[in-house]
């Protein structure tokens, strides 16, 4: 039977990121990733286009729909202008800024890799290479936010567990437990759903020659290890939250049963009193 080679199909949907070109800045380019929220409505952005359709000269601004903006070679004035333009379209902005930086070095010789001092070495500032580096930095800043939120969730649950260990009981408001479960599910949705940090970028479907560069960038920022650590902690938080919720529900069931028993006893007492009142003296 003859074998038919089918072309690789790229996932459909919105672009992985939007980009705005900026004036070129030379061979040393600073890259800064800002976390603006859990999601950005990119449909409302003006002046941004698909990275595959925009001519870039080495400096640009990438916007990712999972809440990150990466400035490549931007001046402080350009950075402030773009952040002010994008921020109104961000959902659930963080209470404190989350920023990661990197230095991109353009070299037409040698391997494309990450140097010992953390510089990202690229042969040229093509849209694909810049998008790949920006994607890794954007995913890293998203992971940093979720790592901090997960630690906060552990800090909130720990006093409840300590109370259970020391006193055999815990004051467990149902709303507090539901908030814990909601935080866990929200973090899982961000990591697995929106940012898809455990998956390779869609860009590599059409540019498989950049797969080695992505592997080196992913290893430098430890995306895989950090994602697996987050998943394990989310699983622990989920188990703890579900256990606490079961405990609260058991306490409510016990209270309900005691209330029913007390009501039955009260009705029996009323019945006995009425019988005693009718009994001839």
């Amino acid at each position: 039977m003859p074998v038919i080679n089918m072309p690789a199909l790229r996932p459909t949907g919105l672009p992985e990121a939007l980009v705005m070109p900026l004036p070129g800045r030379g061979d040393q380019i600073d890259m800064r990733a800002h976390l603006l929220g859990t999601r950005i409505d990119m449909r409302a952005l003006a002046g941004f286009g698909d990275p595959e359709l925009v001519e870039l000269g080495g400096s640009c601004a990438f916007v990712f729909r999972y809440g990150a903006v990466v400035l490549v070679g931007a001046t402080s004035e350009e950075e402030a202008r773009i952040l002010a333009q994008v921020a109104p379209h961000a959902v659930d902005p963080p209470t404190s800024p989350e920023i990661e930086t990197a230095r991109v070095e353009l070299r037409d010789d040698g391997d494309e890799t990450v140097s010992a001092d953390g510089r990202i070495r690229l042969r040229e500032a093509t849209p694909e290479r810049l998008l790949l580096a920006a994607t890794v930095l954007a995913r890293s800043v998203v992971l940093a936010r979720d790592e901090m939120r997960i630690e906060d969730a552990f800090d909130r649950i720990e006093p409840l567990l300590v109370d259970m260990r020391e006193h055999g009981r815990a004051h467990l408001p149902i709303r507090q437990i539901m908030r814990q479960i909601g935080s866990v599910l929200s973090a899982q949705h961000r990591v697995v759903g929106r940012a898809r940090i455990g998956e390779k970028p869609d860009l590599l479907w059409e540019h498989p020659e950049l797969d080695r560069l992505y592997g080196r960038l992913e290893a430098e920022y430890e995306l895989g290890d950090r994602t697996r650590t987050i998943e394990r902690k989310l699983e622990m938080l989920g188990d703890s939250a579900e256990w606490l919720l079961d405990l609260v529900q058991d306490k409510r069931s016990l209270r309900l049963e005691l209330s029913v028993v007390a009501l039955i006893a009260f009705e029996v007492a009323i019945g006995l009193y009425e019988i005693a009142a009718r009994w001839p003296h």
Side-chain angles (χ1 to χ4, degrees):
M1 179 179 294
V3 178
I4 302 177
N5 294 323
M6 298 295 292
L9 299 178
R10 182 184 179 185
T12 59
L14 293 174
E16 188 173 10
L18 295 180
V19 62
M20 176 184 291
L22 300 171
R25 306 294 177 199
D27 296 336
Q28 298 285 337
I29 307 174
D30 288 326
M31 182 178 291
R32 289 169 59 86
H34 296 259
L35 187 68
L36 298 186
T38 57
R39 181 172 58 85
I40 295 176
D41 184 8
M42 302 197 305
R43 296 170 297 182
L45 296 179
F48 289 83
D50 191 323
E52 297 186 353
L53 305 177
V54 176
E55 292 292 332
L56 299 180
S59 300
C60 52
F62 290 99
V63 176
F64 296 86
R65 62 177 175 268
Y66 46 82
V69 177
V70 180
L71 288 300
V72 183
T75 65
S76 56
E77 292 79 9
E78 291 168 339
E79 183 173 321
R81 174 175 59 85
I82 291 174
L83 293 179
Q85 179 180 352
V86 178
H89 306 288
V91 178
D92 188 21
T95 55
S96 59
E98 194 70 47
I99 303 173
E100 288 209 28
T101 61
R103 172 65 62 88
V104 176
E105 184 179 16
L106 301 180
R107 299 176 53 179
D108 56 5
D109 60 335
D111 291 336
E112 294 186 300
T113 184
V114 180
S115 65
D117 58 358
R119 296 189 180 189
I120 301 173
R121 292 177 175 172
L122 304 177
R123 292 196 184 97
E124 52 184 334
T126 61
E128 297 81 15
R129 286 171 169 81
L130 292 178
L131 174 57
L132 196 63
T135 298
V136 171
L137 203 62
R139 290 182 172 185
S140 181
V141 78
V142 169
L143 283 176
R145 184 267 317 276
D146 286 326
E147 287 166 345
M148 181 179 63
R149 287 192 171 183
I150 289 173
E151 291 302 321
D152 290 341
F154 271 108
D155 291 341
R156 290 194 298 268
I157 283 184
E158 184 177 6
L160 302 178
L161 301 179
V162 171
D163 197 16
M164 285 292 299
R165 183 188 63 201
E166 294 182 351
H167 304 100
R169 66 181 187 278
H171 302 288
L172 304 172
I174 187 66
R175 290 186 179 180
Q176 182 176 354
I177 302 303
M178 295 305 295
R179 282 197 296 268
Q180 297 298 332
I181 295 177
S183 298
V184 172
L185 295 177
S186 178
Q188 288 176 328
H189 178 64
R190 284 192 301 271
V191 174
V192 179
R194 290 199 185 106
R196 297 183 300 165
I197 295 176
E199 304 175 18
K200 291 186 176 182
D202 295 345
L203 171 68
L204 297 179
W205 285 72
E206 295 184 358
H207 299 277
E209 72 278 5
L210 299 179
D211 188 78
R212 179 178 296 181
L213 174 61
Y214 176 74
R216 291 171 175 173
L217 292 172
E218 183 185 39
E220 172 67 20
Y221 287 90
E222 301 179 334
L223 297 186
D225 292 340
R226 293 165 67 188
T227 299
R228 287 187 288 272
T229 299
I230 285 178
E231 289 174 348
R232 288 195 297 269
K233 289 185 176 181
L234 287 175
E235 184 177 356
M236 293 175 59
L237 281 173
D239 293 342
S240 299
E242 289 180 5
W243 178 80
L244 292 172
L245 181 61
D246 290 340
L247 182 61
V248 170
Q249 291 175 338
D250 289 343
K251 290 176 64 177
R252 284 192 166 188
S253 299
L254 178 60
R255 290 174 181 173
L256 180 61
E257 292 174 359
L258 292 176
S259 299
V260 171
V261 171
L263 180 60
I264 294 174
F266 179 74
E267 291 180 349
V268 170
I270 293 296
L272 293 176
Y273 176 79
E274 292 177 349
I275 293 174
R278 292 195 300 268
W279 193 266
H281 295 286

